[in-house]
Structure formats: C-alpha cells, structure tokens
Amino acid sequence: MTPDPDRRRIVQLSLLAAFAGAIPAGVASAEANTGTAAADDPARAFDFFLGTWQVRYRRLKERLLDSHDWEEFEGVCKVQPMFGGLANMDESSVHRPGLPYQGMGLRSYDPASKTWADWWLDTRNPHKLDPPMLGGFADGVGTFFGKNTVRDQPVKVRGVWSKITATSLQWEQAFSPDEGKTWETNWVSRYKRVA
C-alpha cells in the first residue's frame, strides 16, 4: 500500500481528538499543576520539543525488583505541533535490540487548569493507550504524575523533562509502589537535535 499523507493526517487528528476527550475539562491535581513555563506562557511550554531528535535510551530491565541492570539503545523522534501549538505529537522509532518498535507520544494543554496531559501508545501493544500523566513546568523543569500497574499492582508514575537547551534535553520516568514515598527511575531518554 502506498503511503497517503492526507489519510495519515486524518488518522492523527482522529487519535488526537479521541485522546483529548479522555480527560474531562479542568481536571488537575495540586501536584500536577506545577506552575508556568520559563517563558511565562504555560501554553507554549513544549515548544522546545518541536523538531527531529536523535535519542539515546536507557532502560532498567526489571522494574521495582531492586534491579541495577540497564540496557541502552538508539532511536529517532519527530515532533510536530497541533491545534496551533496547544498540542503536539511525536512519532518515535525505538531501536531496542530484539524488540524494535514504533511509538507515538501526545501532549495536550488545558487552558482552564493550565495543565498539560501526556499520553503514550506504541506498536508493542497497539490497543493499549497508557493513562495520561498530568503536569506542567516550573523553573525550566517539567514534572508530570500519573498512575499505571506493574505486575498487576498499582504504581504512581512520574515523568520529568529537564536539562532543556536548544539542542538537547532529557526525559526520565520513575515508578513509586508506595504513593510517592520512594521512587525508582526506570527509563532515561537523552535527546540531541538533528539539524
């Protein structure tokens, strides 16, 4: 089948509309509403992420089992704005040895709560959309919180955007099995902009 850019764009917009409807308007918790972006406009907080990136991933092999065994691999991430900058979507190619996959990240801003939502979907489980993490930026760092499960047990999830420059940034994910008392970082993505 020949790729059709118009059809692809329609599918992307349909997914974005479906994701945006997954959180009721105005939903935000005190811990998720972390303040404004460095540019004093929280609606533009993710502008730094637009473009194409070479990514170095670092993944903890076993989560919440006191593991210290990490694997590293490469990838590419392309980020485009949507809804006039109030949302963005990325397409990622993750070159994990033995399990390469494609992923899609979606972020959407709610002006009423001044909060961003961040979702993830990938080809390893294409019918499972991860629950969104909610958050925002303060002092150049974006902090997002959500919930998920590990081995059928509920965990709190934290995503942190940091070390943001014009040509590089870092995102890391951590899980907490005890409602945020302790955190285990299990994923680190280091991005370098492709000219």
Side-chain angles (χ1 to χ4, degrees), residues 95-160:
H95 308 300
R96 185 175 169 200
L99 185 63
Y101 59 93
Q102 301 291 313
M104 182 178 80
L106 174 70
R107 285 149 295 277
S108 180
Y109 182 68
D110 176 10
S113 66
K114 294 185 171 40
T115 303
W116 282 86
D118 190 353
W119 291 266
W120 177 256
L121 175 71
D122 68 52
T123 56
R124 293 172 298 176
N125 193 349
H127 288 175
K128 180 184 180 289
L129 179 64
D130 282 348
M133 292 193 290
L134 299 177
F137 285 78
D139 301 322
V141 175
T143 307
F144 290 72
F145 293 95
K147 295 184 178 182
N148 214 322
T149 57
V150 174
R151 292 180 299 280
D152 297 322
Q153 298 298 313
V155 296
K156 197 166 188 177
V157 183
R158 180 182 67 199
V160 177

Side-chain angles (χ1 to χ4, degrees), residues 54-58 71-75 187-192:
Q54 183 70 37
V55 191
R56 180 74 177 168
Y57 299 105
R58 189 166 189 254
E71 62 180 328
E72 296 192 26
F73 41 94
E74 303 292 325
W187 188 282
V188 179
S189 302
R190 292 188 177 103
Y191 295 79
K192 292 205 178 294

Side-chain angles (χ1 to χ4, degrees), residues 6-126:
D6 291 333
R7 184 174 185 274
R8 183 178 187 178
R9 185 73 173 159
I10 289 168
V11 169
Q12 289 173 340
L13 290 173
S14 297
L15 285 170
L16 183 60
F19 296 161
I23 290 183
V27 169
S29 66
E31 71 181 352
N33 195 0
T34 58
T36 62
D40 294 328
D41 184 358
R44 310 309 301 185
F46 270 105
D47 284 2
F48 70 87
F49 198 35
L50 302 177
T52 303
W53 303 87
Q54 183 70 37
V55 191
R56 180 74 177 168
Y57 299 105
R58 189 166 189 254
R59 178 187 175 276
L60 189 62
K61 289 185 176 180
E62 297 292 337
R63 295 172 178 188
L64 300 176
L65 293 174
D66 198 29
S67 172
H68 303 283
D69 191 11
W70 291 81
E71 62 180 328
E72 296 192 26
F73 41 94
E74 303 292 325
V76 175
C77 178
K78 296 178 182 180
V79 187
Q80 63 183 354
M82 302 183 83
F83 294 171
L86 294 180
N88 65 67
M89 183 176 63
D90 70 71
E91 292 182 86
S92 296
S93 296
V94 180
H95 308 300
R96 185 175 169 200
L99 185 63
Y101 59 93
Q102 301 291 313
M104 182 178 80
L106 174 70
R107 285 149 295 277
S108 180
Y109 182 68
D110 176 10
S113 66
K114 294 185 171 40
T115 303
W116 282 86
D118 190 353
W119 291 266
W120 177 256
L121 175 71
D122 68 52
T123 56
R124 293 172 298 176
N125 193 349

